[in-house]
Amino acid sequence: MTGQIDQDVPLLGLGREQTQAWAQLMLVTANVLRQRRMELGQAAWSEQRAATRTAQQYANDLDPRVRAMAAADETAFREASANGAEGFEHSTSDDPQFGWTVHTTVGPMPENSPSGTRGAWGLWAHGTYREKSLSVFVVVPDRESALRLQDEVTRREQRTLKSLGKLGTYGFLRAEHARTEVREDERQLRERLAHALHTSWAHDPGLVAGVLRPGREENHSDYSSIDLLAHTLIRLEGRGYEIEDVLARLDTGAIRAWYDQQDQHRCDLARYTTSLVSRLSDRLHVVDADPVDPMVAREVDQALAQGLLEAGVEPDRVYRSRSFAQVQAQLADLRSDGHELTPLLAALPGEKINDAVDPAAYLRAVVEKRARSSRPTDATPEAGRAEARSETGVPRKGPDLGPAERMMRRYLAPETADSVIGCRAWPGLAKQLLMWKEQGTPVAEELAYLPEDRIRRAVTPAGYLKTLLRRGIEFRENEARTPRDVESRERDAEHTARVMTLTDVDEPDTPARVTEAVHDGVPPSPFKVRELDPTNAVERAALEMSRGAGTVEDDAYIEQILTAPDPGEVWTKFNRAAEARGRAADAEEQADGHARTPDDLDTQPREDLIGQAEAGVDRRRADRESMIADAEESGVATGAALRAEIAHRPPTTQPAGAGSSEARPVSPPAQQAPTRQATRAPRPRR
């Protein structure tokens, strides 16, 4: 077959019009679903994805875009600048704006900076205004970011200098909070170790440098010894002992004497320091990742062996059961809380335990039932650990995550507990578990009915588990409210609505939903997110760092602004949308005023609907402004169809003389509408 085809060849599948209609339907559906997710306050439809996003946000907070320098870092940065270190640049504002003159210094963070921020850049901005002055020191990830901020505070508006200081402080607060929610990676741990060493051994900087000196292995640096020291200290921090306090208890004189006798270029000072920390941890009765006091562990083993022997239970069958680890964690948890183990393990049903498929699981159920009627004693549950703290002189200042770990191993299968405790988001879950336990929240009921398979397969098992527990506990709390409480709340809501109607008071703003960020205590953003200009380098950084601190609507707004090809244009569009919504609110207010016009018996018949006619005009104007705002914000191709659907509000009555070019024929009603008394609406002054 040759020659030109004069007509379209029919093809199987959807045609162009059907494809466009299908795509348009998918867009509208996606917009509706997204809006519904926003109303529910969910970061994602899947709880697993929402937990993963939250954990990733905390990981980002560990390295904020802008953060305030530590005091010791400021000193090192000043000295490097004064000594003419390579890479430093200086700039001064040409013309004072708002009365301020700003001098800036940009340069790489020195190698000897106490916080170990190698590869980062620093910005020192000093502003003067008559007798006033302001100095701001911040750390940023790279040179390009530092130069953008420098240009903003010197060549544009110097009033952003104060915002830069506020931004640095907020970045520091977010980083400190993130350390309680997720674990740091290797590089971040090294930086914190460097800062702790400079703080604790400030009198001997040479010793600090020796600990932080990496080994050499072929063509790359070997940080294994430094990482081992950092992880050993972090395990102690998980038991409540701060890194600085532990390092301060080491005998630096003895360490210096040993170091001077070695070949300082070949000896491994970091590994030697790790051995000293391990000896100290043994005296603290904290053995690596074991959260159980050794005295408690011995009591558990002895009481369990005695109880099985007296009941005639075969010990090997219990010890080899797959649930034996949960029994051990259960007994250790009960003993650590002050329960006596001997009554819990006395007169056990030996025959039933021996005949059970999983003897340890049966024993666990028996002990759990008895523990509900058991009462803790006044004896110190972990006397050995308390005695060790007083002996070593290392105080416990932070939370001990041991009880949270025991709780996981008590109620979850060993493989599930390992995946949760090994997750990067474990600190946040542990902190929440300790809070629930202190408040007396029934966490055990939720832990007993968890989808452990899904938890193990999750990207962030600890974050996902925290979400599941939080949803379940909130549901139980809502269900536990008495009908009288529900009736009281409904009665209060009705009374408030009636008072607002009678007094013509505007409805207050609806409070934002309690988000995951609020639950986890994320520091609130000190900025008004929707007023930040994305074309300003300081305010753009503030936008980036405000993620995860507000509602999901705020996060969606930030994401749309920052990912736009032209952020300034999108920001202007949102401003226009805000103005349109303001005009829509004014029109709705006028419409409500017209609709509530009191009756006037002196008016002529058929003038009773004048107020309602003007109210209809105002409502249509309000709908139009709302539609404009929606179109500005969404910018989707279905704007025209949505406009026709949103703006159309068929009138309930047809006032005399109200016809216009926009009026459409209306079919006669089935029955005559009741006639109200004549009313007259107040005319606006012109």
Side-chain angles (χ1 to χ4, degrees):
M1 179 178 178
T2 59
Q4 184 177 1
I5 300 177
D6 295 333
Q7 57 184 355
D8 294 337
V9 178
L11 299 175
L12 294 177
L14 297 175
R16 178 180 301 175
E17 294 182 358
Q18 290 84 352
T19 302
Q20 291 178 350
W22 178 259
Q24 186 177 13
L25 176 61
M26 291 298 100
L27 280 175
V28 174
T29 304
N31 285 332
V32 172
L33 291 175
R34 177 178 177 273
Q35 185 62 34
R36 179 58 178 165
R37 177 174 64 81
M38 296 291 180
E39 293 174 358
L40 296 175
Q42 298 178 188
W45 278 115
S46 168
E47 290 181 336
Q48 289 193 31
R49 292 189 178 184
T52 302
R53 291 180 184 179
T54 302
Q56 183 58 48
Q57 179 60 56
Y58 293 142
N60 296 339
D61 290 344
L62 291 172
D63 281 322
R65 297 290 301 173
V66 181
R67 66 179 181 274
M69 273 191 205
D73 290 340
E74 292 182 11
T75 303
F77 190 81
R78 286 174 184 264
E79 292 177 354
S81 175
N83 296 333
E86 183 179 357
F88 277 75
E89 304 177 20
H90 307 273
S91 178
T92 304
S93 56
D94 299 331
D95 300 318
Q97 296 184 23
F98 305 99
W100 286 83
T101 301
V102 181
H103 307 272
T104 58
T105 300
V106 172
M109 294 300 294
E111 289 292 329
N112 63 340
S113 59
S115 296
T117 51
R118 294 177 177 84
W121 279 66
L123 169 62
W124 172 19
H126 180 74
T128 56
Y129 173 62
R130 295 180 182 176
E131 69 280 359
K132 299 179 181 179
S133 63
L134 175 64
S135 277
V136 177
F137 289 84
V138 295
V139 179
V140 294
D142 48 45
R143 178 176 180 271
E144 182 180 356
S145 301
L147 293 180
R148 280 201 302 266
L149 295 178
Q150 180 190 45
D151 180 71
E152 196 67 59
V153 298
T154 55
R155 291 186 173 84
R156 296 190 181 181
E157 297 180 357
Q158 278 76 43
R159 61 183 176 184
T160 59
L161 181 61
K162 196 171 184 179
S163 299
L164 180 63
K166 186 189 300 184
L167 183 61
T169 302
Y170 183 59
F172 173 79
L173 294 176
R174 289 289 292 263
E176 288 296 310
H177 170 266
R179 291 194 184 103
T180 67
E181 295 292 333
V182 293
R183 292 190 175 108
E184 298 157 294
D185 59 25
E186 304 295 341
R187 179 188 59 80
Q188 294 162 346
L189 284 178
R190 292 172 202 153
E191 292 183 359
R192 192 141 72 94
L193 173 62
H195 183 76
L197 285 168
H198 277 91
T199 302
S200 305
W201 299 356
H203 59 282
D204 197 340
L207 203 61
V208 175
V211 174
L212 297 177
R213 182 184 299 117
R216 299 297 303 176
E217 185 174 327
E218 295 182 356
N219 297 326
H220 65 278
S221 299
D222 180 16
Y223 290 94
S224 58
S225 298
I226 300 175
D227 294 340
L228 178 62
L229 173 59
H231 282 285
T232 303
L233 291 169
I234 287 298
R235 282 196 293 270
L236 286 173
E237 187 179 57
R239 303 295 171 256
Y241 305 104
E242 292 189 357
I243 296 178
E244 290 81 359
D245 292 338
V246 174
L247 292 174
R249 293 301 300 171
L250 299 180
D251 188 352
T252 53
I255 298 175
R256 165 55 74 178
W258 180 88
Y259 187 48
D260 291 340
Q261 296 175 0
Q262 310 297 319
D263 183 353
Q264 298 185 2
H265 295 285
R266 293 186 178 182
C267 74
D268 195 340
L269 184 56
R271 191 170 294 275
Y272 178 73
T273 306
T274 303
S275 66
L276 298 179
V277 172
S278 298
R279 294 176 195 171
L280 180 61
S281 68
D282 291 340
R283 294 171 60 194
L284 286 171
H285 292 179
V286 180
V287 183
D288 292 338
D290 186 0
V292 182
D293 188 313
M295 293 183 64
V296 173
R298 285 196 296 270
E299 289 186 25
V300 168
D301 294 339
Q302 294 172 2
L304 180 59
Q306 184 67 25
L308 295 178
L309 178 63
E310 293 178 354
V313 177
E314 299 179 18
D316 290 342
R317 291 201 65 227
V318 175
Y319 294 153
R320 294 175 182 175
S321 294
R322 61 176 181 270
S323 301
F324 178 66
Q326 292 176 282
V327 173
Q328 275 189 315
Q330 176 193 39
L331 295 174
D333 196 20
L334 291 171
R335 180 63 190 91
S336 297
D337 288 341
H339 293 266
E340 293 292 340
L341 298 182
T342 302
L344 296 176
L345 296 171
L348 293 173
E351 295 183 2
K352 294 183 179 180
I353 294 177
N354 285 329
D355 295 339
V357 177
D358 188 347
Y362 193 94
L363 174 61
R364 176 170 173 263
V366 172
V367 174
E368 190 71 29
K369 182 178 180 180
R370 293 180 176 183
R372 295 191 186 101
S373 58
S374 173
R375 293 291 181 269
T377 63
D378 296 332
T380 304
E382 296 188 346
R385 183 171 292 177
E387 181 182 351
R389 285 201 301 272
S390 61
E391 176 189 346
T392 58
V394 180
R396 177 185 288 172
K397 296 181 180 178
D400 182 6
L401 304 185
E405 182 172 338
R406 292 197 299 267
M407 193 182 301
M408 291 293 97
R409 300 196 182 280
R410 174 179 177 179
Y411 292 102
L412 301 180
E415 56 272 16
T416 307
D418 289 339
S419 65
V420 170
I421 297 171
C423 175
R424 190 178 187 185
W426 162 248
L429 172 60
K431 182 179 68 173
Q432 184 68 73
L433 287 171
L434 295 178
M435 186 181 304
W436 280 328
K437 188 173 183 179
E438 182 179 356
Q439 296 171 351
T441 306
V443 185
E445 286 80 352
E446 297 299 327
L447 289 172
Y449 303 100
L450 288 173
E452 296 196 22
D453 290 339
R454 292 210 310 265
I455 293 174
R456 288 195 296 269
R457 293 195 302 266
V459 179
T460 54
Y464 181 43
L465 176 56
K466 181 168 68 171
T467 300
L468 294 178
L469 291 176
R470 182 174 286 159
R471 297 287 188 270
I473 290 173
E474 290 178 352
F475 177 78
R476 286 178 180 270
E477 291 177 349
N478 293 333
E479 289 293 315
R481 292 192 177 98
T482 63
R484 181 176 300 178
D485 294 336
V486 176
E487 293 177 1
S488 176
R489 286 198 303 273
E490 292 178 352
R491 187 168 55 252
D492 292 342
E494 292 176 358
H495 174 73
T496 302
R498 186 167 60 253
V499 170
M500 292 173 58
T501 302
L502 295 175
T503 57
D504 196 20
V505 177
D506 291 338
E507 183 179 358
D509 294 336
T510 303
R513 291 180 59 87
V514 178
T515 61
E516 298 289 335
V518 176
H519 276 300
D520 294 337
V522 177
S525 175
F527 308 98
K528 295 181 179 179
V529 172
R530 298 185 183 264
E531 295 181 4
L532 296 175
D533 183 359
T535 62
N536 181 301
V538 176
E539 297 187 9
R540 182 179 178 87
L543 270 173
E544 294 178 345
M545 292 170 54
S546 295
R547 285 171 166 160
T551 63
V552 292
E553 290 85 354
D554 292 337
D555 288 346
Y557 167 81
I558 294 173
E559 187 69 22
Q560 185 169 354
I561 287 288
L562 296 180
T563 57
D566 189 348
E569 180 182 355
V570 178
W571 184 60
T572 304
K573 182 198 303 182
F574 274 106
N575 285 341
R576 292 199 301 265
E579 294 174 0
R581 292 200 185 280
R583 294 193 300 268
D586 293 340
E588 284 285 357
E589 181 180 359
Q590 294 181 15
D592 291 340
H594 288 142
R596 290 197 298 268
T597 300
D599 295 339
D600 185 356
L601 300 179
D602 296 334
T603 56
Q604 299 296 323
R606 299 307 304 164
E607 290 184 356
D608 57 329
L609 299 175
I610 292 179
Q612 280 62 44
E614 293 185 354
V617 173
D618 290 328
R619 283 202 174 92
R620 286 192 292 275
R621 181 160 58 91
D623 289 338
R624 183 176 63 254
E625 298 295 347
S626 298
M627 177 275 301
I628 293 174
D630 290 337
E632 291 285 359
E633 288 185 346
S634 61
V636 296
T638 58
L642 292 176
R643 172 176 180 173
E645 181 179 351
I646 294 175
H648 176 61
R649 180 179 294 177
T652 57
T653 57
Q654 185 71 20
S660 65
S661 59
E662 297 180 357
R664 298 182 180 181
V666 180
S667 58
Q671 60 182 3
Q672 183 66 28
T675 304
R676 295 180 53 214
Q677 295 294 330
T679 60
R680 183 181 300 277
R683 296 288 186 180
R685 297 182 179 179
R686 301 188 181 276

